[in-house]
Structure formats: structure tokens, C-alpha cells
Amino acid sequence: MKLNIAVLPGDGIGPEIIEQALRVTRVVCKKFGHELVTRTALVGAVAIDHVGNPYPDETHNLCMDSDAVLFGAIGHPRFDNDPSAKVRPEQGLLAMRKKLGLYANIRPVIIFESLLDKSPLKLERIQGVDFVAIRELTGGIYFGQPQGRSENGDTAFDSCVYTRMEVERILELAFQFAMKRNKRLTVVDKANVLATSRLWRQIAKEMEPQYPEVVVDYMFVDNAAMQIIQWPKKFDVMVTENMFGDILTDEASVISGSMGLLPSASIGIHTSVFEPIHGSYPQATGLNIANPCATILSAAMMFEYAFSLMEEGALIRKAVEASIVAGAVTEDLCDDKSKALSTSAVGDWIIDYLNK
Ligand code: IPM
Ligand code: MN
């Protein structure tokens, strides 16, 4: 098979972790006889510095023209502390999501047995956790209009807006996920307060009869935030709107022990994007210390979701798991920092394993 991949390393540790994921992708392609074509483009702060736009047209055209996008991270502290900045790296990510129609962000929350002691939760709460969070990604308060300031600048407003079409398509995807898994779906909303949430709940209830085997549970977001910590095992598939999903998936990611482990897929109308859920970790830029596993696992999701190459994805997952079991890990997963491997050394270990 020919794999045409757009590579967007972005900012901070992006280039370092993407490099390891690309090495892994190359080895797997070679092993399974696939032809790999990669083309790299600018995104984020680095794109602002070079061309003044965090998601340049050339980058968008390359994404549209590829079968999958492998994405590193974006964000730079220079912009975080400057509320008056005219362009921000994050706008590049939002523009990419909107222009590629990436309405669903899929974040599997899994636990590595060998890392159970790294979780901030008690062993009996965390053992066996395995759920998928599905976050709506191109609607809600992130994109709703109007957004802005009053003339005197002393009032600011954001709008949370959802249409039936936007809600139906993400719920449909969530029901399908539930059907493929343990047939339990939790719809997270704030229907006791928000009109958009009441629309979500209404549509989910309308759709329930189409999926009689799926047991649907409705949960307010504040309660969900609590349940993720108290009873994370209860969840199978969770679906929610854009901002709730942003917050809950960060929360869910740390119960696995490190944010550096969790991958994600953003799928929708055009080319799908695969990226680690952690950010650009600017303090670690260029130090070769960041955990590359979330990005390598994102490459595994890419094989599976973009190319239906399940065996390839499973092998990558197995290699990452083996590296963790062997203690070939970066400092975020290492109690004794002197034993921690560098980003590229973890890549080396995983590649050796794949070549065995
Ligand atoms: C994420 C990130 C982004 C978001 C930021 C960088 C705009 O936090 O992918 O979760 O809020 O969606
Ligand atoms: Mn986030």
C-alpha cells in the first residue's frame, strides 16, 4: 500500500517526538512492504515566524492532498503571556480542525499494567480502566459567533452554538464506537443549565432506539469530572462537546500515569490528523528528554484509522508496551532519573524491537 503522509512537527518538542514516530513508521512500512511518502510543512508558532500565519495555505493544501497527517504540537510561551498578540499558534490548530472538517477527536484512555504505580489513583480504582473519550471538535464555544469585546473593551463574550447536524454526526460516531466496544455510552453535558446541552440530550434520546443494544447514560459534566477520578472503570465510550471534552480528556489522561503516553485521532470530512494529546512542552525543547510514546502511539492509530492496517498498528502498540515493561522510558516515567533514557534512545529501543 502507498502511504502519503503530511508531517507537521510544529513547536516545542514537536520536531523531536515526530522524528521518533517517523522512524517507527518507516520501519513498519518496510517490514510490511508499504511505500511511504512523507512531506513536511509548517504549523504553529514556527509558521508565524516564517510566514506570519499559523496554518498557511501551503500546509492546508498539503494536508488535503495527503492520506493522513502526523502532527506534533503547537504553542509557545511567548504568546501565552501576551493577551494582545494578534496571531496565536493555537489559531493554526483551530483553523486546521475547521478547514479539514475534523469534527471528532478520539482519545483512548488506557492503562499500562507495568505503570499502575505511576497513576495518582489507588491501584484498585485504576486497574482495568479502558475507555474512549470522543470530543466534538469543530463546534461549541471554540467557534461560536459572536465572540469578542464591547467597544469600551470592558465586556467580553463567547457564544456556545451547536446545530442539529453537528450533534447528530458526532453522536452517531459515538454510538458506532459503543457498538464495537462494550455497548455503553455516556453522554456528558450540562443540560440543567445550557440550551446547547439540552439539544444534545434531546438528539441523543431520539437516536437511542436506532441502537437498542447500547445502554446510554446521561451525566452532567461536573459529575463526570468527579466520576473519572472516583470510578474511571465505569466508562466505556464517553461523548461530549468541544470544551467539556478538552477539559475532561486532560483529566482522563493523567490517570494513566503520564500525559506522555496518550495518542489521539481527529477524524471528519477530509484528511484525518494523528497527534499526541500533550502539548508543546516548551521547557523541554531541544533537550531530547520528552516522551515520544504518545506520538508513536498516534502513528499506530494512523495505521489503523487512516489505512485500516490493524496488524501494523497492533505491532507498534506492542513495541511501545514492551519498551515500558523493559524500563526503557524517559524521565517522566522513571523514579531514578539517572536511569532515564533520552527521547531518541527510546526510539532506538522500539526500533530494535520492531526489527527483531
Ligand atoms: C487540545 C489543546 C487545544 C484545544 C489548544 C492548544 C487550542 O488543548 O488539543 O486539547 O484546546 O483544543
Ligand atoms: Mn486540551
Side-chain angles (χ1 to χ4, degrees):
M1 189 182 229
K2 185 169 175 181
L3 280 60
N4 224 320
I5 297 172
V7 181
L8 274 47
D11 303 323
I13 57 167
E16 298 159 56
I17 51 177
I18 282 286
E19 192 186 322
Q20 302 314 317
L22 270 182
R23 290 174 70 203
V24 167
T25 302
R26 268 186 225 115
V27 170
V28 170
C29 282
K30 196 158 171 225
K31 200 167 174 132
F32 287 83
H34 303 303
E35 185 190 343
L36 176 67
V37 180
T38 60
R39 288 174 292 173
T40 303
L42 292 171
V43 75
V46 59
I48 297 177
D49 293 342
H50 279 82
V51 295
N53 178 352
Y55 186 57
D57 288 344
E58 304 85 81
T59 302
H60 178 60
N61 294 339
L62 174 65
C63 293
M64 289 294 285
D65 199 31
S66 303
D67 303 323
V69 179
L70 198 55
F71 189 98
I74 63 163
H76 194 284
R78 188 169 85 234
F79 297 91
D80 295 345
N81 301 322
D82 177 10
S84 67
K86 292 238 156 29
V87 274
R88 320 181 67 80
E90 288 78 6
Q91 287 166 345
L93 185 58
L94 299 187
M96 181 179 78
R97 289 172 181 170
K98 199 69 175 179
K99 289 175 86 171
L100 292 177
L102 303 172
Y103 60 82
N105 182 229
I106 297 159
R107 296 183 168 183
V109 179
I110 40 156
I111 305 302
F112 292 88
E113 276 290 318
S114 53
L115 290 176
L116 284 174
D117 62 322
K118 294 283 177 302
S119 173
L121 301 190
K122 291 200 186 84
L123 187 72
E124 67 271 19
R125 304 243 162 143
I126 192 74
Q127 212 158 21
V129 167
D130 176 3
F131 69 92
V132 179
I134 298 179
R135 164 187 176 193
E136 200 291 327
L137 205 57
T138 51
I141 202 163
Y142 271 58
F143 293 95
Q145 294 297 332
Q147 181 192 62
R149 292 271 186 116
S150 63
E151 242 165 66
N152 71 3
D154 288 343
T155 303
F157 42 89
D158 298 284
S159 308
C160 188
V161 181
Y162 270 108
T163 64
R164 170 174 282 275
M165 181 276 286
E166 289 173 317
V167 179
E168 270 172 3
R169 66 183 176 185
I170 189 85
L171 286 175
E172 203 166 291
L173 190 91
F175 272 108
Q176 283 162 7
F177 259 83
M179 282 301 289
K180 279 189 244 146
R181 291 177 49 100
N182 297 318
K183 302 192 171 65
R184 284 184 292 116
L185 177 65
T186 308
V187 179
V188 175
D189 64 27
K190 188 73 186 171
N192 50 349
V193 177
L194 300 178
T196 42
S197 284
R198 287 191 283 272
L199 178 66
W200 273 71
R201 203 172 270 221
Q202 178 195 327
I203 294 173
K205 285 197 189 285
E206 286 169 14
M207 290 171 78
E208 269 191 55
Q210 292 170 44
Y211 300 90
E213 289 172 64
V214 177
V215 178
V216 186
D217 185 21
Y218 296 87
M219 198 180 274
F220 295 141
V221 61
D222 43 355
N223 184 22
M226 196 167 72
Q227 301 288 336
I228 287 174
I229 295 296
Q230 283 197 301
W231 307 111
K233 269 184 250 195
K234 279 213 307 220
F235 296 105
D236 178 25
V237 178
M238 171 194 289
V239 63
T240 191
E241 65 100 68
N242 203 344
M243 188 153 86
F244 297 161
D246 177 47
I247 298 165
L248 292 181
T249 54
D250 264 24
E251 185 193 1
S253 76
V254 294
I255 65 176
S256 74
S258 170
M259 251 198 146
L261 290 174
L262 294 192
S264 83
S266 298
I267 63 178
I269 297 165
H270 302 293
T271 320
S272 301
V273 174
F274 301 87
E275 59 173 310
I277 83 140
H278 59 69
S280 57
Y281 192 12
Q283 314 87 296
T285 307
L287 299 181
N288 199 21
I289 58 170
N291 189 340
C293 289
T295 318
I296 294 172
L297 292 169
S298 300
M301 286 186 93
M302 175 179 80
F303 277 100
E304 294 165 346
Y305 284 74
F307 302 104
S308 299
L309 296 172
M310 310 318 262
E311 216 184 311
E312 288 80 342
L315 179 63
I316 296 176
R317 231 185 293 286
K318 196 170 153 211
V320 169
E321 179 121 41
S323 72
I324 295 170
V325 171
V329 294
T330 41
E331 61 174 34
D332 51 311
L333 295 176
C334 225
D335 294 328
D336 178 358
K337 298 277 176 261
S338 67
K339 296 217 177 83
L341 295 192
S342 65
T343 309
S344 52
V346 170
D348 293 343
W349 197 102
I350 290 170
I351 281 161
D352 281 348
Y353 182 93
L354 291 169
N355 279 328
K356 256 190 234 144

